Amino acid sequence: MKANVIVFPGSNCDRDIKVALEKFQLKTKMIWHQDKEMPKSDLVVLPGGFSYGDYLRCGCMASKSNIMCEVIKHANKGGFIIGTCNGFQILTETGLLPGVLLRNKKLKFICKYVNLLVENNSTPFTSKYKKNQKIKIPIAHNEGNYFAGEKTLDELEQNDQIVLKYCDENSIVNNESNPNGSCLNIAGIVNKKKNIIGMMPHPERCVESILGGTDGSGIFQSLIN
Amino acid sequence: MSNVNLDSAIQHGLTKDEYEKILELIGRKPNITELGIFSAMWNEHCSYKSSRAWLGVLPTKNNRVIQGPGENAGVIDIDDGDVAIFKIESHNHPSYIEPYQGAATGVGGILRDIFTMGARPIANLNAIRFGSPDHPKTKYLLNGVVAGIAGYGNCIGVPTVGGEVEFDSCYDGNILVNAMSIGLAKKDKVFYSIASGLGNPVIYVGSKTGRDGIHGASMASQEFDSNAESKKPTVQVGDPFAEKLLLEACLELMKTGTIVSIQDMGAAGLTSSSVEMASKGNVGIELNLNKVPCRETSMTPYEMMLSESQERMLIVLKNGKEKEAEKIFKKWDLDFSIIGFLTDSKKLTLKFQNKTVCEIPISALADEAPKYRRDWIEINKPKHIDIEKKLIDLNLEQTIKNLLSHPNQADKSWIWQQYDHMVMCDTAQFPGSDAAVVRIHGNSKKAIAASIDCSPRYCRAHPYTGGMQAVCETYRNLCSVGAEPIAITNCLNFGNPEKPEIMGQFVGVIKGIAEACKKLNYPVISGNVSLYNETNGIGINPTPTIGGVGLVKDVSKIKNLKFKNEGNNIYIIGKTLGHLEQSILCYDLLHLKKGPPPSIDIDSELKNGLAVRSLIEKDLINSCHDISSGGLILSLLEMSISSKIGFTLNTNKKGTDRVKFLFGEDQSRYVIEVSNKNKDNLENHLKILDVFFENIGHTSKKISIDDDLKFDLKELSKINKEWFIKYNN
């Protein structure tokens, strides 16, 4: 399987995700944001970071960059896309995923391991997890507060597009376990066709026990399945 | 151009004698640009005029040191052709005036020091100190500083992996923000700031120059009065995105072999970077200021030379390599301008609108900068005080709860969870541990450990002992995780050095640091001095922040402070005498601030540290924690709270002896957890090493001390975690 990792100025998880992809034997190429063509791949990754400094709305500038035309073409052909953190923000800004990511409820950056409930394991990104499995993956963001109108939220639920929700130690999805104020405790969603996932947690940060956990591996294992 | 005279010199922070020395050195009156340049180079921050005479006392070499003080940062050999490059720097004055930008640019500045030398930064640490939590500005300053450190470090993508936080009313008017960074490079790819090669082009890269931060370094070389707020325009504004681009562009350029030397524009901006490079290379430098990329219109030479706009670098390239270098900076959308060249005049020559606006011998600015042997008085160890009476009626249960809920001991995750401590995916030990551990990228075994420490209350009581203790505590923290301590960087924060007692503190601390470093073979390889931390004549406690760095040979063997299982044995390594004066119990909880700090026996420090490392190497222990501020009881409680496993402690002591045993801050001690299986083996091993140890109990479901004290672990944990959340809500 081949992967392209898009590098924007200000991306800072590009190397991290490359290391994780290669650990699971995905052949990975780094693609510069100004490129107008993209080599063929099965997967495109939009990494975490602060693309263009995120001085405008997070992900907004990146969504208008040259390479995104190629990424959108890849999406329309049914190619896989993962957007983590800033990558998720870029996906909502391009309209490839619905909703927006607002500033965290408490207006502070949060970096910590959180519990997540796997709501949908019938996607190409989560098939290695069990449905309703509780996993631990770190978040690190200032703007991860997922927001969408009621109609969109209803659609997400009806189409089974909500993949990951923040939950507590006992797998309960509640206010206390919602770190950033996201609607319905949403941590990750897919598009209708389920070939694109956007998630605030960083699976690349927990694929080795020395780093604090291995629950992120499931995302990569699902893909190569 | 305004007329220069003694008054204008004094307004620039120079003294009458210094102004006269300038007249003598250049044989004429300086113009305003030249005066500004002299004031920037001769202020305390850039010239170290009060401290230089004493810094020479510090040991700076061991067999791993490649570069000691004098460069942008120090360099140590960590085997396999790898080097670690690190330094700590203060950004105290600006952070008090504008906490977010002050702290953010503090992080930006130290990162540039690291990547200027060819290293990719892999870990940031910080030591931040604030006034009393009740002081009206403290909450604002705390929130601003933490957000500023987070804002910069998170965006550039370097993990902030450790640090320390303290509240003390002595910092009410002068907070401390000390930022440290560690980078990784290849031994044969380290870059220095020594300019050479006549005619070689001098290149300006990075962000444009604006009017921010003019006289920042001079501001940081003065005491504050009640008008500190009015100095806001002297604080620089940070752009971490620009720094990220500059980092990637510089590291890319460094692979090409086009660079002769490189220097970041930090304090005193274009002035100090050009003068330092020329001075080190013993050459002259000529700059055409019309070529400097400016953010604002009609900037004068004076403003350009004194601006402290951030995210800028000065590079001397090999002749003819301009095009190759320019291509890289254009790719990263950064300014690139050839602004001058090296000369054989040994002068700093500045041209503007075809006129010469400055011509000063480099030596006058650098070597001839004033160097003072300030008067100082020896500060002797204070006499013991009688505290028995205060201890007799102590309610131990309540005191232990007060200890855990005190802001200086409270759980700090509210702070470090605002820092991205995991980016780069090599953080093997998170904040909240004795030392942070970060793997060497691409090497599955090797890692760097780092710890930042100081106990200013010890330094205030007896500077010599306090200086030694700060060094030893970092040493101990590194040993606790299983790292071999290699070298330190220091950030010396003091009051006004023109006062003999403050200078006495400085001299005492320096001597203490020197003694500890020498005996531990743990030299100083970089650092920074921050003086004039005074407001309206009141100085801070002497605060020599020490950043220690060690090498971990096998990261799979490191230990942390979390208890692992119930039913394991708990030992103390090192002798417990029960020294309470200057302890947290006395100083923070009972407000008894007199008496000597605990004394340090460097031989025990060395021996106990080696013993702990060998226990970790042999995998004989399950967890390890050093005993420092708060004594044995705090160490045990921290091991419990972090693991949700309790302990049963048998002190075999009563009354005030028990209080001393629990809260005493005797040095060179560790708590270790040992399984029954390894017990005999461990005891034999420690006997052979001739190290003092005692079995004090075992891990258990609940927390109990002797027969009479029982605690609910959940309640203690709650008390410990609550303070920061309540304070900031």
Side-chain angles (χ1 to χ4, degrees):
Chain A
M1 197 173 194
K2 283 184 190 161
N4 287 335
V5 175
I6 312 296
V7 182
F8 300 99
S11 291
N12 64 27
C13 301
D14 45 334
R15 188 189 79 176
D16 299 354
I17 204 133
K18 177 175 187 265
V19 170
L21 291 165
E22 286 174 347
K23 183 181 161 76
F24 294 96
Q25 272 79 51
L26 278 95
K27 281 191 190 137
T28 305
K29 278 198 179 124
M30 307 305 265
I31 310 295
W32 186 236
H33 69 121
Q34 282 169 336
D35 290 358
K36 289 182 178 149
E37 278 171 40
M38 183 169 70
K40 266 195 174 168
S41 71
D42 308 285
L43 170 71
V44 169
V45 177
L46 302 174
F50 292 69
S51 52
Y52 303 87
D54 277 345
Y55 289 132
L56 200 56
R57 274 192 329 272
C58 296
C60 180
M61 298 274 287
S63 73
K64 307 282 183 264
S65 62
N66 284 343
I67 197 67
M68 284 313 288
C69 300
E70 289 293 297
V71 174
I72 290 167
K73 273 189 221 159
H74 173 86
N76 292 338
K77 277 190 247 161
F80 297 141
I81 300 180
I82 298 183
T84 56
C85 204
N86 194 220
F88 187 8
Q89 294 160 345
I90 296 168
L91 287 171
T92 59
E93 283 292 336
T94 51
L96 286 171
L97 289 174
V100 288
L101 291 142
L102 306 175
R103 269 193 87 179
N104 296 345
K105 185 175 54 186
K106 287 194 175 157
L107 307 177
K108 302 255 186 239
F109 191 98
I110 312 167
C111 176
K112 64 174 184 184
Y113 265 87
V114 293
N115 292 305
L116 300 165
L117 196 69
V118 180
E119 288 264 312
N120 180 355
N121 69 339
S122 54
T123 79
F125 313 99
T126 52
S127 59
K128 276 283 168 181
Y129 298 113
K130 293 191 187 82
K131 189 170 162 64
N132 291 328
Q133 185 182 341
K134 187 194 77 178
I135 55 176
K136 269 189 135 161
I137 298 183
I139 52 168
H141 59 247
N142 204 30
E143 285 89 6
N145 179 356
Y146 184 81
F147 181 83
E150 229 165 274
K151 195 172 151 242
T152 307
L153 292 174
D154 283 348
E155 272 178 29
L156 287 175
E157 282 195 309
Q158 278 159 18
N159 300 330
D160 227 0
Q161 285 174 254
I162 302 173
V163 179
L164 300 168
K165 280 187 179 178
Y166 301 108
C167 69
D168 69 8
E169 247 344 282
N170 305 313
S171 306
I172 315 266
V173 175
N174 54 15
N175 257 339
E176 289 68 47
S177 58
N178 187 342
N180 50 26
S182 291
C183 290
L184 306 175
N185 281 38
I186 286 173
I189 57 171
V190 287
N191 62 339
K192 268 185 205 162
K193 277 160 63 186
K194 303 195 172 40
N195 60 322
I196 305 172
I197 187 171
M199 57 191 288
M200 288 316 294
H202 287 268
E204 77 278 12
R205 294 189 180 187
C206 53
V207 294
E208 281 181 83
S209 52
I210 188 93
L211 302 179
T214 55
D215 283 357
S217 308
I219 300 278
F220 304 101
Q221 284 162 342
S222 301
L223 270 167
I224 54 173
N225 215 8
Chain B
M1 206 170 268
S2 60
N3 204 12
V4 169
N5 54 31
L6 177 59
D7 285 345
S8 43
I10 288 170
Q11 275 166 16
H12 276 77
L14 294 160
T15 65
K16 182 166 177 280
D17 288 348
E18 288 169 353
Y19 179 62
E20 278 162 8
K21 191 172 173 189
I22 291 172
L23 297 181
E24 190 189 312
L25 279 169
I26 62 172
R28 60 179 165 85
K29 253 192 189 184
N31 62 38
I32 189 73
T33 304
E34 292 171 328
L35 181 71
I37 288 170
F38 267 106
S39 80
M41 289 306 296
W42 282 18
N43 63 46
E44 189 68 58
H45 190 90
C46 292
S47 72
Y48 294 85
K49 57 190 170 191
S50 303
S51 58
R52 256 194 305 167
W54 286 101
L55 295 174
V57 174
L58 298 170
T60 58
K61 290 189 174 81
N62 68 15
N63 59 358
R64 285 190 181 273
V65 175
I66 293 173
Q67 173 68 52
E71 265 294 336
N72 283 299
V75 184
I76 55 169
D77 191 331
I78 53 166
D79 302 332
D80 317 309
D82 297 326
V83 295
I85 299 186
F86 62 93
K87 190 184 181 187
I88 189 167
E89 217 166 56
S90 62
H91 231 216
N92 306 334
H93 291 76
S95 300
Y96 183 78
I97 298 172
E98 211 307 289
Y100 185 96
Q101 291 299 344
T105 53
V107 174
I110 194 66
L111 283 166
R112 275 194 304 286
D113 279 335
I114 302 306
F115 70 78
T116 304
M117 299 203 62
R120 180 174 285 281
I122 58 166
N124 284 341
L125 295 95
N126 58 74
I128 51 182
R129 293 190 150 80
F130 301 92
S132 156
D134 307 326
H135 188 276
K137 285 194 86 169
T138 299
K139 197 165 152 182
Y140 153 76
L141 291 169
L142 169 71
N143 276 270
V145 165
V146 172
I149 292 172
Y152 209 100
N154 297 352
C155 179
I156 196 167
V158 176
T160 301
V161 295
E164 62 170 359
V165 187
E166 189 187 1
F167 299 90
D168 188 307
S169 57
C170 76
Y171 305 109
D172 279 352
N174 295 83
I175 62 168
L176 299 185
V177 174
N178 296 173
M180 172 173 170
S181 186
I182 307 171
L184 179 68
K186 283 288 171 193
K187 199 171 174 176
D188 55 357
K189 284 272 169 4
V190 178
F191 290 82
Y192 297 98
S193 58
I194 306 161
S196 69
L198 297 185
N200 272 340
V202 177
I203 315 292
Y204 170 121
V205 297
S207 299
K208 289 182 174 23
T209 297
R211 291 195 170 92
D212 54 328
I214 291 178
H215 282 308
S218 304
M219 174 269 291
S221 304
Q222 290 159 17
E223 282 183 41
F224 281 152
D225 53 28
S226 317
N227 295 322
E229 293 280 342
S230 68
K231 295 186 172 164
K232 224 167 236 187
T234 58
V235 179
Q236 315 85 326
V237 177
D239 177 357
F241 173 60
E243 179 115 325
K244 169 74 174 166
L245 304 182
L246 188 60
L247 161 69
E248 299 301 338
C250 285
L251 292 183
E252 201 172 316
L253 179 67
M254 283 159 172
K255 286 185 191 149
T256 61
T258 56
I259 299 177
V260 175
S261 65
I262 175 165
Q263 170 79 39
D264 80 301
M265 295 189 220
L270 192 49
T271 294
S272 72
S273 53
S274 53
V275 171
E276 277 173 34
M277 283 171 107
S279 167
K280 282 179 188 158
N282 200 20
V283 294
I285 189 165
E286 180 173 325
L287 305 180
N288 177 359
L289 296 180
N290 289 100
K291 300 278 187 192
V292 171
C294 288
R295 199 194 304 146
E296 295 167 64
T297 51
S298 57
M299 284 186 69
T300 63
Y302 178 90
E303 289 169 329
M304 283 185 235
M305 291 308 288
L306 296 184
S307 162
E308 290 191 9
S309 290
Q310 299 288 291
E311 295 92 25
R312 302 178 299 161
M313 290 274 188
L314 204 60
I315 302 173
V316 177
L317 283 181
K318 289 180 188 160
N319 225 333
K321 298 288 184 184
E322 297 89 330
K323 282 263 150 29
E324 194 180 340
E326 184 172 12
K327 215 174 127 195
I328 292 171
F329 285 89
K330 288 289 167 238
K331 172 187 160 190
W332 290 97
D333 275 329
L334 291 164
D335 270 298
F336 176 97
S337 178
I338 304 165
I339 62 166
F341 54 92
L342 300 183
T343 68
D344 57 3
S345 70
K346 299 192 181 175
K347 283 178 183 166
L348 172 69
T349 309
L350 302 178
K351 304 269 180 173
F352 186 64
Q353 294 172 347
N354 296 321
K355 282 187 203 132
T356 301
V357 292
C358 163
E359 194 157 35
I360 312 174
I362 296 283
S363 62
L365 292 166
D367 314 330
E368 297 292 338
K371 182 173 174 178
Y372 298 124
R373 274 219 165 251
R374 305 255 189 220
D375 289 340
W376 60 284
I377 47 171
E378 180 97 40
I379 298 167
N380 295 316
K381 224 179 206 182
K383 289 201 178 95
H384 286 287
I385 53 164
D386 183 13
I387 49 174
E388 291 286 324
K389 269 182 254 162
K390 296 268 182 183
L391 303 180
I392 287 171
D393 300 325
L394 200 69
N395 176 338
L396 261 184
E397 193 183 330
Q398 191 54 49
T399 306
I400 285 172
K401 288 180 184 171
N402 293 347
L403 176 75
L404 284 177
S405 61
H406 190 281
N408 286 341
Q409 277 70 244
D411 178 272
K412 307 285 191 303
S413 53
W414 179 86
I415 291 176
W416 56 258
Q417 285 181 350
Q418 293 184 52
Y419 306 145
D420 190 338
H421 48 274
M422 303 180 207
V423 65
M424 298 184 92
C425 289
D426 280 311
T427 311
Q429 183 108 265
F430 287 177
S433 20
D434 283 340
V437 179
V438 179
R439 290 188 307 190
I440 299 306
H441 190 73
N443 186 317
S444 58
K445 285 186 99 175
K446 204 163 57 172
I448 284 287
S451 174
I452 204 162
D453 295 285
C454 182
S455 303
R457 61 185 191 282
Y458 293 173
C459 299
R460 173 175 154 274
H462 189 229
Y464 178 79
T465 308
M468 278 204 339
Q469 194 274 343
V471 175
C472 289
E473 191 169 341
T474 63
Y475 187 89
R476 219 174 294 149
N477 281 326
L478 295 175
C479 291
S480 296
V481 299
E484 171 199 345
I486 294 179
I488 66 166
T489 180
N490 61 12
C491 190
L492 307 169
N493 308 276
F494 289 79
N496 181 349
E498 294 161 42
K499 297 179 182 169
E501 65 273 27
I502 301 283
M503 204 56 211
Q505 292 176 341
F506 186 81
V507 172
V509 161
I510 286 275
K511 287 180 175 174
I513 292 175
E515 176 70 6
C517 289
K518 209 180 299 164
K519 289 208 173 143
L520 296 170
N521 188 25
Y522 189 42
V524 181
I525 65 157
S526 58
N528 153 254
V529 180
S530 170
L531 302 174
Y532 297 95
N533 291 289
E534 293 210 15
T535 295
N536 295 328
I538 301 169
I540 57 163
N541 282 351
T543 311
T545 310
I546 305 294
V549 173
L551 179 62
V552 174
K553 294 216 168 104
D554 183 353
V555 74
S556 68
K557 287 189 173 176
I558 57 169
K559 291 294 169 217
N560 59 33
L561 55 78
K562 293 178 187 175
F563 282 139
K564 298 298 177 300
N565 294 299
E566 287 172 28
N568 282 341
N569 306 281
I570 303 174
Y571 288 82
I572 303 181
I573 289 185
K575 262 192 189 132
T576 304
L577 304 167
H579 184 100
L580 273 186
E581 292 144 301
Q582 301 299 337
S583 66
I584 289 290
L585 175 67
C586 284
Y587 190 92
D588 274 343
L589 301 181
L590 302 175
H591 308 292
L592 299 167
K593 302 198 175 183
K594 290 189 174 152
S599 43
I600 306 233
D601 171 18
I602 300 268
D603 292 334
S604 308
E605 192 70 61
L606 201 57
K607 205 157 78 171
N608 298 353
L610 277 170
V612 165
R613 278 162 49 202
S614 71
L615 295 176
I616 294 173
E617 169 65 34
K618 289 176 187 298
D619 205 15
L620 288 174
I621 60 176
N622 300 56
S623 62
C624 180
H625 191 8
D626 80 312
I627 302 180
S628 58
S629 291
L632 169 68
I633 187 65
L634 186 66
S635 295
L636 289 169
L637 289 168
E638 287 173 343
M639 296 171 93
S640 257
I641 289 170
S642 59
S643 63
K644 297 176 184 162
I645 294 172
F647 60 86
T648 302
L649 170 66
N650 309 310
T651 67
N652 296 318
K653 289 179 178 61
K654 283 194 176 121
T656 56
D657 282 347
R658 184 163 72 161
V659 176
K660 290 177 184 169
F661 185 75
L662 293 173
F663 291 90
E665 295 185 5
D666 312 294
Q667 298 294 298
S668 321
R669 293 182 302 154
Y670 302 81
V671 180
I672 53 171
E673 176 195 5
V674 185
S675 65
N676 289 323
K677 183 186 84 182
N678 288 328
K679 195 174 174 242
D680 294 341
N681 216 338
L682 173 120
E683 292 192 3
N684 288 334
H685 183 65
L686 290 177
K687 275 177 200 154
I688 294 167
L689 292 176
D690 190 28
V691 164
F692 186 88
F693 63 95
E694 57 183 315
N695 188 324
I696 54 165
H698 58 270
T699 52
S700 51
K701 200 172 180 67
K702 294 180 176 170
I703 296 178
S704 61
I705 302 168
D706 301 328
D707 297 330
D708 56 331
L709 287 168
K710 303 239 179 311
F711 293 92
D712 179 24
L713 181 48
K714 271 193 185 152
E715 188 202 342
L716 293 188
S717 176
K718 188 165 168 262
I719 290 174
N720 190 230
K721 288 192 165 69
E722 249 170 17
W723 191 88
F724 274 92
I725 294 159
K726 279 190 177 166
Y727 181 69
N728 291 295
N729 261 350

